[in-house]
Each structure stands twice: as structure tokens, then as C-alpha cells.
Amino acid sequence: MTSIQPESFDLVVIGTGLEESLIAASASRSGKTVLHLDQADSYGSAWSSLNMDQFLVWEDQTSSSTAMPPVRQQTGLQESASTTAADAAGADLLRVPVTHEQAQIYSNTQLHQQPVELGSSREFSLDLAGKVVFCASDTIDTMLSFGVQNYLEFKLLQGSYIYTDGNLASVPASRAAVFRDKTLGPMDKRLLTRFLMQLGNSLHDNPFPQAAPHQPLVTLLRSQNLSLLMRQFIMYAVAMADSDQESLITDQSAPPSSQLQATQASSQPQPPVVAQRASSVVPSDSAAASIAPSTSLAAAIAGLQPSMSSSAASPASEASQSAPAASPTEHQPAAEELAAAASASTSGMITVEQGVQALRQYLRSVGQHGPSSGAFLTPMYGCAELPQAFCRVAAVHGAVYVLRQPIDSLLLDPETYHCRGIQTDTGQVVRCSALAASAAALHSLLNLSQSATTIKQQPASSTPACRISRAICVLDGPIQEGESELLIIIPPNMPLLHNPYAIRAIQLGPAAAVCPGNR
């Protein structure tokens, strides 16, 4: 294998996921020398988009290693005793072997396949972590500032739907869409339009002065006399709530002081948040793939059910979305405000403040690409195009890319334990001033460095493990006739499903270049 040249960089980045690619592009645009490595033969890491053959290989490899290997116990950082030329080049550094098994992200995968002809493998682009993005969001601003729009194409989702009473109800994309919707009654239209107008016309942070910022959003919606369907539109399709907001408010009817005690004792996991916070959304810990063509909505939901058995949680970097049942006002004591904030950090409740921010972003996003156009975009050819576009920006500014390049060891400063280089599987030593990689890829290093430097261990967190269930289904046609790009939301605790969290499904078709024309 050809050696990497030069042999010294300001930054080495391991993995080509979105976060790693953003770091590489930012550093290279700032004039830093960057080496970007990935042991896979394609870009994307956990954000990969695979053709059908690649996906089946990935599923087989993942399902065969669902049992996580035990973490190797170490008493400290050990120097290599080898006297190879490579070790001589890094003889002043401590070598820490990298255990790639620790970077396993997906587990408990299952494949449900029917003996049908799906078409050419190369016509499929199956996302391991499907995403959509708000048309007006920080993600779009970041892409424009980096110039990645020169390497990307997006497809506008044709609509969003809420699953209710066995049917799909269209989520209005604008006030005009509210009046055109034939499924809404006159009273629902009037109340929802008045609510949206009050939200859009106000310049204040809180356009509803009668509601405190930490008050539950569902309480405000009830005070506006909005029906259950209207509240579901706002809470699950716009504010992207995960937990059942209606039941949470009844569970939090205790006084603020007792709420504070309760929230210290328990917390509730949350499922994935779809859309704008691309940099913070992590891949799932469990996945199910269904390759069983069907055009019925019931069959599509049935394809999701295997993934619903696992608990789900949003990434730790997400802002917690919650609120107390009792609404603090500006005249309440600070202790009660503290209790409200404590409840907002653990319960999964969406507050008025969070809901207003989400609603305004949604309203800014609709109509960005034409009258009554939807709020969401998705990358053409799969979500792996997004990190790959940032990689191209980094390459234009001088970053060096090497795929199919495993890392054997990390080389650390013996005094500070800062990373000062890497050793590849071929034995080559590459020096660096800094290293960037996902926490999973460096899991063993993080444990070792804490042991070696006797850093005081933090108490174990009571936050539940971050687990997200996903499913990939191949259908033989769109769920809604004539609409191949959709976002479908199933609110929590639906009859028959009994899902504890909201389920969000992204339907993409041949117009997004992710499947053949008959799928």
C-alpha cells in the first residue's frame, strides 16, 4: 500500500460521518493541514447510503456481531516493545492500540425478506440514518457558508401526514393550506388560523403572554380550544415532540416542590428527532430492515413494529424538551422556577418556549421554494451525500483523503496524554497536533486516558442509555397515491400499536434517486 504523504498534519480525522466531515472541512478552510481517514471503502460511516447488495452484507456483518465484546481492562498506557522502524519513528510517544469493535453502533438487527425481485441493486440507496432538514435552519445556513450546495442536490418533501384513526391526515403547510383542507371543520380552521396568526404577527419571544415560558405547550394549546388533532399537528409534526404530551401533563400534576423530587428519581428516554439538528442526531442502537413490498399503510406500519420493541432515546446533545404541570409566573419564588426547570430537563415535555421556537422555524421553512411548498428537504441519492459534500469542500482546501485505511494505534504524549500521532495497520507513523473522531471510535482511548491520568470518575449518570429503533422498508408503491416523498408521523400511544413514543417515517421514491421506478 502506498504510504501517506506528508507524514505530519495539524489534524487527523478518523471516520467520514457528518460530524467528522464538518470538522475536517472547517479545519482545512482555516488553513490547517488535515488527514481524513476511514477504514470503509465509501464515505459516510454511520451516515452511509448503501445499495442493496452492500446493505445485505452490512446487515449480515452487524447481526453476526450483535453481542458487544467486553471492554478490555487496562491498568494504564503501555509502550510498545517492538523495535520496528515505525515504532522508532514514534519512540518518544506512548502507543495505545485501537479496538475497532468498540465502534459498533448498530445492534440487534433483523432482516425480513420475501422472495420477490426487487430490481437492480445499484438503483437502491438505503440510508442507515435517514434524515430530513428544515428549509430554513442552521443546517442550511452552514451548508451555504461552506459552499457545499455546489456538490449537493435536494428534493422537497411533498407533504407531512399524521396517522390518526386508521387514516393519514395532511399537516397544513400554511394558513392558506388550512382553509383548503377538506378534512378540517370550520371551527378547527378558524381556531388554528387565529393561533398561527398570533404566533406569526408577534415580534416578542413569547407571543402568548398568558403562558409562562416553562409551561407545557399542550396546556397552551388546550387554552386555545384546539382539538386533539390540531394539538397533534403542532406537537408531533411541527414541534417534533417524542413523548406523549397529553399523558405527561396528567402525570405532572403534583406541586412544583414534589415535582423536583420526582424528576431527580426518574427520567424517560426519547426516540429520534427528525429534521434540522443534523449534527446532533446519532444513529440508532437497533435496526430492522423489511424488504417486503406492500402498498398498504397497515403493511408499512407492520414493517415498523419489530423496531418498536426496543427503548428509544434522543442523543445526549439534544436539548431536553419538557415542562412542569404547574405554570410558574414572574411572581412565583425562584425555588418553584428551579423546580420547573428541573422538570423540563427530564420529563420529555415540550415547553411553550420550545414550542414557539419550533413553530416559528416551521413557519419560516414553509413556502421557501414556492407557494404552499413544504417545510422539509432531503438529499438526493441518500443522506451520505451530505457528509461527502463536506469532504469535497475539505479536499478542495487541501485535505488528504485515504479510504480503506484502518488505524492500528494512537500515539500519545507521555506527560499530557494528548494525541500526537497515529500508526496505521501497515506500520506507518503519521504525526499530528490533534485528533478528531467519534466517541464510539475512541471509546477505549477515553477509558484508558482516564485510568492513566487518575482523573476522578464522575458518578454514573441516571440518564437511560441512548437507544433508537429504526426500520428500512421497501414498498412496491407510494402510501399516498401520487406523492412519493413524504414525512409520516404516528403520535404516541396509538390504539393497537401502543407505541410509547412518536414514530416518524420518511418515504422516498425514485424522484429522490434512492430506488427503482417501481418501488
Side-chain angles (χ1 to χ4, degrees):
M1 181 180 292
T2 304
S3 63
I4 299 172
Q5 296 296 332
E7 293 188 339
S8 178
F9 294 86
D10 294 322
L11 174 67
V12 171
V13 182
I14 301 175
T16 53
L18 180 60
E19 295 87 350
E20 299 95 318
S21 301
L22 274 165
I23 292 172
S26 180
S28 60
R29 291 173 75 239
S30 301
K32 304 296 184 181
T33 56
V34 177
L35 172 63
H36 203 168
L37 306 175
D38 199 319
Q39 64 179 348
D41 59 1
S42 60
Y43 294 89
S45 296
W47 285 69
S48 294
S49 300
L50 309 176
N51 64 39
M52 185 60 70
D53 291 340
Q54 292 172 330
F55 177 78
L56 294 176
V57 171
W58 171 86
E59 191 280 331
D60 181 66
Q61 293 174 342
T62 306
S63 61
S64 64
S65 60
T66 54
M68 293 293 288
V71 177
R72 185 171 49 184
Q73 298 297 321
Q74 300 274 0
T75 58
L77 298 174
Q78 304 295 325
E79 292 190 64
S80 172
S82 174
T83 58
T84 63
D87 286 332
D92 57 328
L93 302 173
L94 299 181
R95 188 174 71 87
V96 180
V98 173
T99 54
H100 295 287
E101 290 82 1
Q102 298 298 332
Q104 180 70 35
I105 295 175
Y106 292 90
S107 64
N108 193 29
T109 60
Q110 302 176 30
L111 181 65
H112 309 277
Q113 185 172 6
Q114 291 183 356
V116 294
E117 179 59 43
L118 296 175
S120 172
S121 168
R122 295 175 60 86
E123 293 187 76
F124 286 94
S125 184
L126 305 177
D127 289 325
L128 297 185
K131 299 290 185 293
V132 295
V133 60
F134 278 108
C135 294
S137 63
D138 292 341
T139 302
I140 296 295
D141 294 340
T142 299
M143 288 190 288
L144 292 174
S145 67
F146 276 73
V148 300
Q149 72 275 8
N150 299 321
Y151 311 106
L152 275 174
E153 293 182 69
F154 281 90
K155 184 68 177 177
L156 186 70
L157 295 193
Q158 294 168 284
S160 299
Y161 289 85
I162 283 275
Y163 179 74
T164 178
D165 296 329
N167 298 303
L168 291 178
S170 177
V171 179
S174 63
R175 289 192 291 269
V178 172
F179 284 103
R180 290 196 304 269
D181 195 322
K182 297 180 181 180
T183 64
L184 302 179
M187 182 60 70
D188 280 339
K189 291 181 179 181
R190 184 170 66 85
L191 292 174
L192 183 58
T193 301
R194 184 180 67 181
F195 178 81
L196 294 177
M197 288 182 63
Q198 184 174 353
L199 179 71
N201 294 337
S202 174
L203 299 178
H204 300 288
D205 291 338
N206 185 4
F208 305 100
Q210 74 276 18
H214 294 293
Q215 177 181 340
L217 176 63
V218 65
T219 302
L220 171 63
L221 301 181
R222 288 176 180 176
S223 70
Q224 300 292 310
N225 297 317
L226 295 174
S227 67
L228 176 60
L229 180 59
M230 297 298 99
R231 298 199 298 270
Q232 289 178 336
F233 281 167
I234 294 172
M235 292 187 297
Y236 304 114
V238 177
M240 296 296 170
D242 302 310
S243 303
D244 188 342
Q245 305 295 294
E246 302 283 348
S247 65
L248 279 175
I249 191 172
T250 59
D251 294 340
Q252 295 191 15
S253 56
S257 59
S258 61
Q259 288 175 20
L260 179 58
Q261 299 173 359
T263 55
Q264 291 174 341
S266 65
S267 59
Q268 198 164 10
Q270 303 174 22
V273 176
V274 180
Q276 78 273 25
R277 296 182 291 261
S279 62
S280 63
V281 178
V282 298
S284 71
D285 189 64
S286 62
S290 177
I291 307 179
S294 172
T295 52
S296 69
L297 178 61
I301 294 174
L304 291 173
Q305 287 179 341
S307 69
M308 291 162 51
S309 59
S310 302
S311 62
S314 64
S317 58
E318 292 281 356
S320 298
Q321 300 173 336
S322 54
S327 305
T329 67
E330 60 184 359
H331 304 294
Q332 286 182 311
E336 294 188 359
E337 292 283 358
L338 178 61
S343 176
S345 68
T346 57
S347 69
M349 184 75 74
I350 296 288
T351 64
V352 169
E353 182 179 25
Q354 293 167 334
V356 166
Q357 292 175 354
L359 283 162
R360 282 179 167 163
Q361 181 172 48
Y362 185 87
L363 293 177
R364 288 195 305 268
S365 296
V366 297
Q368 285 280 329
H369 302 280
S372 299
S373 62
F376 300 106
L377 297 168
T378 188
M380 295 274 289
Y381 310 102
C383 286
E385 293 294 306
L386 192 56
Q388 186 169 339
F390 282 100
C391 289
R392 289 173 178 170
V393 170
V396 167
H397 288 84
V400 176
Y401 278 82
V402 184
L403 299 180
R404 297 182 292 276
Q405 180 58 77
I407 302 301
D408 177 74
S409 305
L410 302 176
L411 305 177
L412 308 185
D413 185 295
E415 295 182 358
T416 65
Y417 298 104
H418 292 167
C419 185
R420 290 294 177 256
I422 61 168
Q423 183 173 327
T424 69
D425 65 335
T426 61
Q428 181 182 3
V429 169
V430 178
R431 298 271 184 160
C432 66
S433 300
L435 177 81
S438 67
L442 297 180
H443 187 270
S444 59
L445 171 63
L446 296 175
N447 287 343
L448 288 172
S449 63
Q450 287 187 357
S451 173
T453 56
T454 62
I455 296 177
K456 182 178 179 181
Q457 297 293 326
Q458 297 296 324
S461 172
S462 61
T463 303
C466 181
R467 296 183 181 273
I468 300 173
S469 297
R470 299 186 188 273
I472 300 174
C473 305
V474 176
L475 310 180
D476 59 8
I479 294 175
Q480 288 289 95
E481 189 65 32
E483 295 182 285
S484 60
E485 284 73 44
L486 300 176
L487 177 62
I488 299 174
I489 301 97
I490 304 176
N493 290 327
M494 295 298 293
L496 301 180
L497 293 177
H498 305 295
N499 50 309
Y501 306 103
I503 301 172
R504 296 186 176 89
I506 307 168
Q507 176 191 278
L508 301 177
V514 296
C515 65
N518 60 342
R519 301 296 179 214

